[in-house]
Amino acid sequence: MNENKQYVTYAVSKDGIRTKIDAGSIIIQIEEEEIEIALIPPHPAWKGKLTLSTGSAIDGRHEEREPGVQFVIEPGASNVVHITAKKPDKSF
C-alpha cells in the first residue's frame, strides 16, 4: 500500500524568511470559524491536492451538532481563490 507522504510546509515571515514546520495539519482561525488544512493527504486519490475542512469535519470535532459550516469560494486572479468559512444564514 502506498503511504501518503506529508507535504513540506513553511511559515513565511513578513520579510520573506521561510521556517520549516513539522505538523500534520494547519488550523487557520478566521473570525469565529476555523479552516483546517491537511498536510498529509487523507486518501491516496487526493495526493498532490490540499484538503480543507471546517466545522464538524475538523478532526476531534465529530460530536459537534450545530448547523454546518460551509465554504464560500470566490475566484480571484487566474491563480488565486478566496475561501471563507461561514455558517448558513438561518433566515431561510
Side-chain angles (χ1 to χ4, degrees), residues 7-91:
Y7 299 138
V8 178
T9 311
Y10 301 92
V12 182
S13 65
K14 290 180 182 179
D15 59 1
I17 296 173
R18 292 180 175 201
T19 304
K20 193 170 181 179
I21 300 171
D22 182 24
S25 67
I26 295 173
I27 293 180
I28 300 171
Q29 186 161 348
I30 303 172
E31 297 177 8
E32 67 260 359
E33 296 305 327
E34 294 179 339
I35 296 175
E36 181 176 29
I37 304 169
L39 301 178
I40 302 171
H43 187 279
W46 299 324
K47 182 179 176 184
K49 299 178 183 182
L50 286 179
T51 300
L52 281 64
S53 305
T54 190
S56 61
I58 292 178
D59 192 28
R61 293 175 59 178
H62 304 292
E63 299 300 319
E64 193 173 274
R65 295 286 184 240
E66 294 181 23
V69 178
Q70 301 172 342
F71 283 121
V72 177
I73 302 171
E74 301 170 274
S78 62
N79 59 350
V80 175
V81 294
H82 303 282
I83 300 172
T84 309
K86 291 186 176 182
K87 288 186 179 178
D89 187 1
K90 295 179 184 180
S91 62

